[in-house]
Every structure is written in C-alpha cells, then in structure tokens.
Amino acid sequence: MKIVAIKETHKGETRVPLVPQTVDKLVKLGAEVEIESTLGATCLYEDGDYEKVGAKVNKNRVDLLKSADIVLRLRKPPMEEIELMKKGCIHISYLDPFNETELLDKLKTCAISAVSLEMLPRTTIAQKMDVLSSQANLGGYVAVVLAVDQLDKIFPMMTTPAGTIKPARVFIIGVGVAGLQAIATARRLGARVEAFDTRPVVEEQVKSLGAKFVKIDLGETGQTKDGYAKQLTSEQLEKQKEGMAKACAMADVVITTAQLFGRPAPRIVDRGMIAQMQPGSAIVDMAVETGGNVEGSEVDTIVEIEGVHVIGMGNLPGRVAITASQMYSSNLGNFVEHFWDKEEKKFTLDLEDEIIKGALMTHDGEIFSETYKSIVNK
Ligand code: NAD
C-alpha cells in the first residue's frame, strides 16, 4: 500500500505533514512511503533524511497523487488536485469542512475517502491522533511568547536592590487545550494569571495550574457531548462582557482562545473593554482566523487600538514549525497505525469504528459524516 506525503502550497505555511521519524514507523509497518522532493525543507529535513529511513523521493507531484493509496498532507487539497487522485484514495488532512462545502462536494464526486482531522472525536483512544490538541497546545505557548515580546514590562516579580517589580497580570479567556497551555506558560514565566471559560468544569484545571478562575454567573451554559462549549445567547454574552471587564482592565496581557465547534468564534472583547486597559498592554486574539474574539483584531497583523497592542497573528503553531511538524506527523502516524492490518500490511477503513465515523467526511461517492450532514443541512 503506497502512502504519499505532499508538500504544502498554502502561502506562509512552514509546517510539514511527515517527518523522517514517522516514515521510519510507517516503513516498519510494511507501507511503501513516497514523498514529494523537498517536503521537509522548511523544517530543515533533507530528502536524504527521508531516504535513510526507507522513503522514496519523487519530484513529480502529479505522478505521486495519481499513484497514492493514501495521501498525507497538512491543509486541504487544492480543488484541481482532487481529480488527480484514484477513486477510493484515502486523503488525510485538515479540511475545515463546514467552510468548504464545495471542496467536500468535489471529494465526494471523485469518490475520495477524505478524513478531516478536525473531526476526530475527543476520546481517550483518539488522543494520540488529535492534531487539534497537539497544535492548539503549541499555539497557547506561542501566544504567550508573542505577548511577552510586545509588552514593555517583564512577567515575573523581581525583588532587587533597585526595588520590587510586581508580576505582570495575565487574563486568559477560554480554557481549552490552548488556554491551559497559555496559563501554564505564563505561570512558568512568573505572571499572575486569571482565567475564564463558559464551561464551569474547567475551574479545577485552572486552579491546579496556580491560576485564579474568574466566576461569572451566566445561568445555563454547559457543553456538548464532545466537551465543546455551547453557543451563548446574546444576553449571556453581554453578562459575560460585564463580568470580564474588570479582569481585562487590570490585565497587562489578555489572551483569548474562545472557539465554538463548527461556528464562528464569539466576539467577547469589544472596543469599550479595550479602552479600559492600560496603554501599552497587549491582547492576543487566538481566534482571529475563525472570526475573532476581539473587536478590531486583524489576521497576521498587530494593530494599536486605544493604545493597546492587539495581536492577530495566524498559524501560531507554524512559528514553532519543527516541534509542530513532529507532533502533527506523529499524530498522523498514530492514526495510520491504529487502522493498519499488520498481517495484510494495509490500512483498513473500518466504517463501524467510532473514530472513522467521526472523521471520515466522504466515502464511495457519498457524504459519509452524519455530523457534517446535520450541521450543513440545517
Ligand atoms: P475549543 O478550541 O473549541 O475552544 C476553546 C475554549 O473556548 C473552550 O474551552 C470553550 O469552552 C471556550 N469558550 C467558548 N466560548 C466561550 C466564551 N464565550 N467565553 C469563554 N470561553 C469560551 O476547545 P478545545 O481546546 O478544542 O477543547 C474542547 C474540549 O475538548 C475541551 O473540553 C477539552 O478538554 C476536550 N478535549 C478532550 C480531549 C480528549 O479527551 N481526548 C482532547 C482534547 C480536548
């Protein structure tokens, strides 16, 4: 069975889908692995590093796509490359399915079995393949580093002969995987950290990292069966803003990570709240690419609003591309291994498996995912 890894074409993407360590694992499973030449260049892997562990290297992208049984890549495929792949080819990547209905239609028509990594269930068994977690975790770390870079103050408390410096105050909004890592990173640097999430269950996790949970009574909020936040009503959102205004005003750094599964991110920091912050403070909007949590934030830009640096850099894991690629590649390797039949030496697409039921979007000329059908047909 031939597994092919294709170079990323998205402008500015620095991560790569497959690193040599994972090739080694796949080859040992009995797979034939072929990569596009210079696949790993942005992460300083040379073609020879892949060859050493048993991969073939090919310069001809079209040939690679035409001959693949499984394609591994990072981002969604360009439309024109879909029809190059064989019927029944298993394509594994991010797909952003709810914003890419045309792309999904094309994958369906070409009878590609397309796996959307965003749709992997958040279950214990799928944790080892969970790219959302591995990349969000790094994103949370990078968000703090970016804020540190913008701030004209230090994070830790310092007691020196010149006097005592107070620790910086950091407020994290949204405590999923990214938020937890942002708390941990800010704490490691010595900041005083507060955090808020609409899911009250995270309070214990926040406390265990040495941060304070900001309590706001929003009435019924809850979470979905997969642990995602439910959308708030407009009244609840207003209450949330009022409740957070004080924590924002006192913060030197605000990091927002709030997301809603399959929907645009909620707008939770407005201009009025920014105006209450000290000039020179910083806000990192980690949701900027999905609509933004912060009024006025712009993708890939740092804008000054009311004297506050509003950081809207996209693709934060791409700023630590080597680590991010190692993790992403390892997630892909674990996914393939999980469904690999060691005797037959082939990937088995078990349509009854819960992971496949969650992540397989198109199969055999049909839309396969029930979640996609229920959300898109609404
Ligand atoms: P996410 O990226 O979808 O959202 C980030 C955070 O934003 C969430 O904590 C969410 O509750 C919060 N949020 C949404 N609206 C908000 C608002 N108005 N104000 C403040 N916060 C708001 O979340 P994620 O990091 O992907 O995690 C989603 C869930 O999956 C969590 O429960 C997480 O613990 C769980 N998870 C489970 C596993 C596993 O068991 N395998 C792995 C990873 C994550």
Side-chain angles (χ1 to χ4, degrees), residues 122-123 127 130 133 175-177 197 199 227-229 240 257-259:
R122 310 306 282 271
T123 55
Q127 257 175 5
D130 185 355
S133 289
V175 192
V177 180
D197 197 296
R199 294 179 301 118
Y228 288 108
Q240 173 180 353
T257 79
Q259 302 270 5

Side-chain angles (χ1 to χ4, degrees), residues 120-128 130 132-134 136-137 172-180 196-202 205 216 218 222-232 236-237 240 244 256-262 264-268 293:
L120 287 169
R122 310 306 282 271
T123 55
T124 307
I125 194 157
Q127 257 175 5
K128 60 188 177 191
D130 185 355
L132 284 190
S133 289
S134 72
N137 186 10
I172 314 268
I173 306 171
V175 192
V177 180
L180 285 171
F196 173 73
D197 197 296
T198 53
R199 294 179 301 118
V201 290
V202 300
Q205 297 167 29
I216 305 169
L218 298 177
Q223 58 180 26
T224 68
K225 69 173 176 34
D226 295 314
Y228 288 108
K230 288 191 178 160
Q231 192 170 21
L232 299 184
Q236 283 177 313
L237 262 181
Q240 173 180 353
M244 292 188 326
T256 70
T257 79
Q259 302 270 5
L260 293 165
F261 181 75
R267 182 57 57 87
I268 45 185
N293 293 144

Side-chain angles (χ1 to χ4, degrees), residues 43-64:
C43 289
L44 310 178
Y45 296 113
E46 293 179 7
D47 286 351
D49 298 329
Y50 290 90
E51 283 170 328
K52 260 185 231 151
V53 284
K56 282 191 202 144
V57 176
N58 190 338
K59 285 197 172 111
N60 191 324
R61 188 173 172 100
V62 173
D63 275 359
L64 276 167

